[in-house]
Every structure is written in structure tokens, then in C-alpha cells.
Amino acid sequence: MFYKSLNHKKFITTLGLVMMVLMASCTDLTEEVESEVTADNFFQTEEEFISALGDAYGTLTGIEGGGFAQVNEVTTDEIQIPARGQDWFENGFWFRVNTHTWTPDEFNGAWTFMYSGVNAANRLIFQFEEAVAAGAAEPSLADPIIAELQALRAFYYLNLLDVYGNVPIITSFADAPENPEQPSSDFQQGRQEVFNFVEQELLNSIPKLSDDVGSTYGRMNEYVARMALAKLYLNAEVYTGTQRWQDAITELDAIIDSGNYSLAASYLDNFAINNSGSPENMFVVPFDEVFLPGFSLNVMTLHYASQATYNFQSQPWNGWSGSQKLYEHYIMPDLNPGPQAEVFGIMPTADDIGLERVQGTVDDRKGNLIVGPQFSAAGERLTDGGVFAPEADLNGPPLTFTPFINDLQFSGCRQCGARIGKYEFENGINTSMNNDYVIYRYADVLLMKAEALWRLNQSDTEALMLVNTVRQRAGVDGFDELTADRLLGERMREMFFELTRRQDLIRFAGDEGPTEYNDSWKFKDVSPETRNVMPIPRVQLETNPNLVQNPGY
């Protein structure tokens, strides 16, 4: 049975308390947060050090619903948000995001999300070091916690490196510059320096971090830091032009050989309401509707009428949807249509709704998406009143979710789009879910190692075995060989809605077969490679004159 232990509850209670501080924060790079904690009245025990970590981890509560998910999910071919009448139109924002026609006015949320974490980590490191220097705290207690904060800061910088490339490196709190500069005015040189910083911070931290995965749930431990380092190495060629496949394997082997993690019996166990007992989840945000609210997938994705299905206290917003292509990949795993395949005509038939006419095994992970007729908790057939799109039948009763999406920009039908069902929806909740949000997971360790082995030797038998281990858990037949298309497709099925798709598409650019980040898909034309990093937000450029905009913007 899955559960949140008492220690987990204590940790998320601490995180919940610091949210009042975080919500009052501004988004300046040199943000200062006042604190009642001083060296002479705190930091006397390990528990006091741990309880003070809340600010640095509290930032992670914005990872799913804010700008970070926009960047890593909605800019890809697996998530689309149709403008259904005036709902979700937002002056064309979501259409621009999915079609790579965004402007520098967008994506400030992802920037402030990550720098808020950096700033909080810097402040706490400063406080802990001051306590040690003043003789008010024992170095033996402070050093592992400082290393944990440095590893967490490196995690934030890893994502800044991935999304924006050449960003200011700020490690000071008391002496932080008002207008920090990027490492170089040259984008690629600056990105290399950020890469070097993240690598060194993680390498320095790992020997000092706890290897006890039970007591560090939801925190940076040795293996979470190794996973971050493996992510850095797996994408090193994108970041620096130099491959680091073997280095990625070394870190992944350390995780595997530890024996601390294993695949859960069922894929969906990892995303259950009480998923803190999963043997597979390595790094999570331990959301809780009382102590740490903010995970609102239930209202973000489901139809207005779905309130009656789950007896929610609030009406859902009818927004985020899985793409038709994503749904097809669960049923036709070797589908490689290039540009989005038009399996449906403009008016889908009853058979088209679920694509059940396709022969072969059906992937258990198809449960990530909700399609078909919808019912109330009492078993009554739900209807969808109102007409927004010209294709009136697509909006009318009865309510049926279809993978088909007719339009993104103006007249998306209200029931078009498979809804995101990856995380179990709890009956009777409001707008905050109790499921822990998964950032790193052991299945990804296996798939990452398989890819690194395959890139070194495309006939590697261990790589094939690792991928087939993941496929076996999903209830589908194994592959007889690995190709770039199969690896990328398997990552799409397994890692859907885990913030990896953008990174995966960019990393597989140039490999024969798979659709790439810059290729066309339904509603999107080919985009330039300069879109592989986001623009530095205009508001940041206006605030800090030392920042240099990324190429192509």
C-alpha cells in the first residue's frame, strides 16, 4: 500500500509554511527574503537544519502548473491546448507556444521559477555558513546540508542551462550583483561555462550527500544528484558539442547498482493518489491539498462537466490535452508518420474515437489518456452544452473525449482532445491534488542507460534488454532491435507528462527516423533551430541591462 510517512508529512508541512514567504517574493535576480531564523537561535540539531530547507524546495511547487511545464510540454508534439471559444485563447498564447511562434514577451514564468530556487538556496547556504563561522553550528551538521543545497541549486541551473542556455551564474547571497552578467557574451561559450558549473557542483556534492533514500524522500540525496548529473551528460552534445555517453552510463550504473530502486508492479502505481511508497519514484514534489497545495492537473485538463464524474468541489477548466499523435503512439507503437498523420477526417466516427479498430497489443500506458464516453459518478451519461466550433456535432451531447483535435487557435471543440489521466484523480477534492509529482523515476534511468549504450553501439544487447524490461511492465511485446525512432517513441510513451519530451526531441535531432523538435506536426510548421532555447524574457532584459539576448530573437 502506498502512503506518506510521518517524516514525509513533517517535510511537506514545513514546505507549506514557507509558501507564504514565497508568494510574497518578487522575481528579481537579486531577490532578498527576510527571515526570523538567526545563527544564535537555530541550527543546533540536524532536524533544525532540515526544517530550514523549505524555502529552497518550496520553489518546486511551481514545476507542473507554471511556466516550466509550458516550456517542456506545450512546446512539443505531445501536449496541445485548444482555444475553445474564449476559454484558453489568452490572446493566442497557447497557439504560439505549440507552433514555436512565441516572442521574447513569453516564458518569464520558467525563468523566475528556476531563479527563485537559486536565490533561496543561496540565502540558506549563506545562513548556514554564517552559523558555522560564528561557532553557533557544528560543521559536521552543516556540511551535508550545505552540499544538499548546492546540489539542489545545480538542479535549478541544469534546467536553466537546458531551457535558456547562457545564463548568469549567481552563487553569492550577501554580495550578489544587482545586475548579474552571463558568463560570456558568446552564447555557446557561455553555455559551456554553465555546463561546467553544474557538473562541478554535482561532482563536489555527491560524496557529501546522504545515501539513505528513505529519510530523504522529496529531497536531494546521492542518487538524485547522480540522476541530475546523468541528465547533464546525456544531453552534453546538445549543450557543448561534445558527447558524454559513457559518463552518463557511469552515473546511471551507480543508481542501478545501489539496489535502492526498482520498477513498480504497475506503471500507474507511480502516479496513484498515495504514491509515496513507489519503489520507482526517485525525486518528487510531495504535494498535499492541506500542507502543500498547488498540483492542479484535475482542473487543468478535465472538461467542465467532469466535475460530476469525480464530485470535485470546483469546476474544471477544460484545457490541457494530449495530442492525437501521442494517443496513436500507444496503440500503434511503430507509427512514424513524419508530419502528424490524419487518421481522422474532420468529423470522427464512433470507431475513430478510440482507434480500437487497430490490431495488436494495447499498451497499458494508454491509461495516461482519457478518451471515450464520459459519465457522472452515479453512472449517468454526461453532455456538453453550448456550441463554439462550426462543427456543431463535436460540441453537442453526449460528452465524448476524442483524440482528434479540430483546431488550436480559434474554434477548438470543447470535447476534442484526450485528457491527461496519468495521475489518479481523487474523488471529492477541490483544485489541489494529493499525488506526489514525479520529477525523476527509475524507469527513466533504464531508458537513459539504454540510449547511451545504443549510441555507443547500436547492436548492444543490454540496451535492448533494458528497453524491453520497461515495455514488458507496460504489457507489450519487446522489440527485436533498437532504432532511433523506437527509442524516442518509447520515451514518449513511458515519460509522457514528465517534462522530458522537449529535451528528448532536441537530443534526437539528426537521427534518422524520429520526428524532431523543429519538424512540423499538426498545426505547426518547421521551426528554426534557434527555437531550441527559449528567449531571455523581455522583462528580464529591461530589468537587467547586462543581459544579452539569445541568438535568433
Side-chain angles (χ1 to χ4, degrees):
M1 178 178 292
F2 296 139
Y3 61 95
K4 283 187 172 73
S5 72
L6 180 60
N7 285 338
H8 302 162
K9 283 290 187 185
K10 286 181 179 178
F11 184 55
I12 62 177
T13 301
T14 301
L15 287 177
L17 291 174
V18 304
M19 285 306 293
M20 292 183 291
V21 177
L22 293 174
M23 290 176 180
S25 309
C26 54
T27 56
D28 191 291
L29 284 177
T30 56
E31 168 190 342
E32 295 187 15
V33 182
E34 299 297 328
S35 176
E36 296 294 329
V37 176
T38 62
D40 59 356
N41 67 14
F42 212 61
F43 308 143
Q44 304 300 306
T45 67
E46 181 180 11
E47 288 74 18
E48 288 178 343
F49 272 103
I50 292 172
S51 68
L53 293 174
D55 280 5
Y57 283 103
T59 300
L60 291 173
T61 58
I63 197 168
E64 179 270 336
F68 197 61
Q70 294 169 3
V71 168
N72 289 288
E73 294 290 353
V74 192
T75 69
T76 77
D77 56 354
E78 70 176 23
I79 291 288
Q80 294 177 319
I81 305 177
R84 299 177 170 103
Q86 291 303 308
D87 290 351
W88 296 92
F89 175 65
E90 298 187 32
N91 199 31
F93 169 75
W94 296 107
F95 178 78
R96 291 194 300 275
V97 171
N98 193 245
T99 59
H100 292 196
T101 54
W102 55 73
T103 73
D105 293 313
E106 275 123 21
F107 300 125
N108 188 52
W111 178 281
T112 57
F113 159 70
M114 288 177 279
Y115 269 113
S116 292
V118 169
N119 295 337
N122 285 342
R123 178 175 58 80
L124 289 169
I125 290 171
F126 170 76
Q127 288 182 315
F128 295 167
E129 289 176 341
E130 287 287 293
V132 172
E138 290 294 327
S140 60
L141 292 176
D143 288 351
I145 301 300
I146 291 173
E148 180 177 344
L149 286 165
Q150 290 169 333
L152 181 60
R153 182 176 63 190
F155 168 82
Y156 289 122
Y157 267 111
L158 171 61
N159 289 292
L160 283 163
L161 166 71
D162 184 69
V163 174
Y164 297 101
N166 180 21
V167 298
I169 300 173
I170 309 167
T171 58
S172 172
F173 174 72
D175 301 319
E178 182 178 355
N179 293 311
E181 299 180 358
Q182 292 142 302
S184 172
S185 59
D186 178 77
F187 173 82
Q188 197 55 51
Q189 182 179 341
R191 199 177 204 191
Q192 175 73 65
E193 292 194 35
V194 179
F195 178 97
N196 295 344
F197 170 76
V198 173
E199 179 184 27
Q200 198 58 52
E201 285 283 281
L202 290 170
L203 288 173
N204 291 344
S205 300
I206 285 171
K208 304 173 186 178
L209 295 174
S210 173
D211 61 358
D212 183 349
V213 302
S215 65
T216 56
Y217 184 79
R219 293 167 48 199
M220 273 279 168
N221 57 42
E222 174 188 342
Y223 304 106
V224 175
R226 288 188 183 278
M227 182 64 159
L229 190 55
K231 291 273 186 183
L232 182 75
Y233 290 145
L234 192 73
N235 295 281
E237 188 173 16
V238 173
Y239 302 149
T240 70
T242 302
Q243 300 174 352
R244 302 285 295 271
W245 309 121
Q246 188 57 57
D247 289 331
I249 292 169
T250 298
E251 299 305 321
L252 295 165
D253 276 342
I255 298 170
I256 294 169
D257 294 344
S258 74
N260 286 314
Y261 306 98
S262 60
L263 294 181
S266 168
Y267 170 80
L268 290 175
D269 285 350
N270 298 301
F271 314 101
I273 296 166
N274 295 309
N275 57 341
S276 59
S278 166
E280 189 170 337
N281 293 342
M282 299 175 60
F283 189 37
V284 304
V285 183
F287 282 106
D288 184 281
E289 65 175 327
V290 175
F291 298 106
L292 196 67
F295 187 14
S296 301
L297 175 63
N298 59 324
V299 290
M300 287 170 56
T301 187
L302 291 171
H303 187 276
Y304 322 106
S306 300
Q307 181 177 7
T309 303
Y310 303 95
N311 293 318
F312 293 147
Q313 297 175 43
S314 297
Q315 188 179 65
W317 308 330
N318 201 29
W320 292 47
S321 301
S323 69
Q324 179 181 329
K325 175 187 174 182
L326 172 68
Y327 188 80
E328 291 167 358
H329 266 66
Y330 285 114
I331 298 180
M332 297 177 280
D334 283 323
L335 180 69
N336 182 27
Q340 171 67 50
E342 286 296 341
V343 175
F344 304 130
I346 189 66
M347 293 295 293
T349 68
D351 288 339
D352 290 328
I353 287 169
L355 280 173
E356 304 300 348
R357 66 186 187 286
V358 180
Q359 299 299 310
T361 57
V362 176
D363 198 318
D364 281 352
R365 295 167 299 192
K366 181 183 160 191
N368 282 337
L369 298 172
I370 303 172
V371 298
Q374 298 300 297
F375 299 86
S376 72
E380 302 166 326
R381 189 74 162 88
L382 294 179
T383 62
D384 174 24
V387 174
F388 286 155
E391 300 83 44
D393 288 347
L394 295 181
N395 287 302
L399 178 59
T400 301
F401 294 151
T402 166
F404 170 77
I405 295 176
N406 67 319
D407 186 42
L408 287 185
Q409 192 165 194
F410 299 114
S411 56
C413 76
R414 301 205 308 187
Q415 53 186 309
C416 287
R419 305 312 161 94
I420 303 170
K422 183 160 188 165
Y423 286 85
E424 182 182 4
F425 296 131
E426 185 174 359
N427 190 66
I429 59 172
N430 201 327
T431 59
S432 290
M433 297 168 59
N434 286 300
N435 318 56
D436 294 346
Y437 183 83
V438 181
I439 299 176
Y440 289 157
R441 188 161 60 86
Y442 186 65
D444 197 13
V445 172
L446 302 183
L447 292 179
M448 287 168 61
K449 182 179 180 181
E451 181 186 336
L453 289 169
W454 175 83
R455 290 187 182 276
L456 292 171
N457 174 13
Q458 294 191 7
S459 299
D460 191 285
T461 56
E462 184 183 1
L464 180 63
M465 180 273 294
L466 290 169
V467 173
N468 284 340
T469 297
V470 175
R471 287 181 59 77
Q472 181 180 17
R473 196 264 299 272
V476 292
D477 297 334
F479 292 133
D480 55 358
E481 65 174 343
L482 292 182
T483 64
D485 181 57
R486 285 180 169 179
L487 278 166
L488 185 58
E490 194 61 23
R491 289 194 60 81
M492 186 185 208
R493 288 181 287 272
E494 180 70 23
M495 303 305 299
F496 162 65
F497 202 64
E498 294 184 53
L499 307 176
T500 66
R501 183 62 174 172
R502 172 185 160 274
Q503 194 177 84
D504 292 344
L505 287 172
I506 293 171
R507 188 173 65 253
F508 275 85
D511 292 299
E512 184 178 355
T515 300
E516 301 165 7
Y517 190 66
N518 308 113
D519 283 351
S520 62
W521 54 71
K522 188 174 182 180
F523 307 119
K524 174 187 174 294
D525 295 328
V526 173
S527 58
E529 289 188 8
T530 52
R531 296 278 150 164
N532 291 2
V533 293
M534 299 300 119
I536 295 177
R538 192 184 310 278
V539 65
Q540 301 298 334
L541 294 170
E542 292 173 348
T543 302
N544 180 1
N546 289 334
L547 294 177
V548 178
Q549 182 59 280
N550 287 333
Y553 295 103

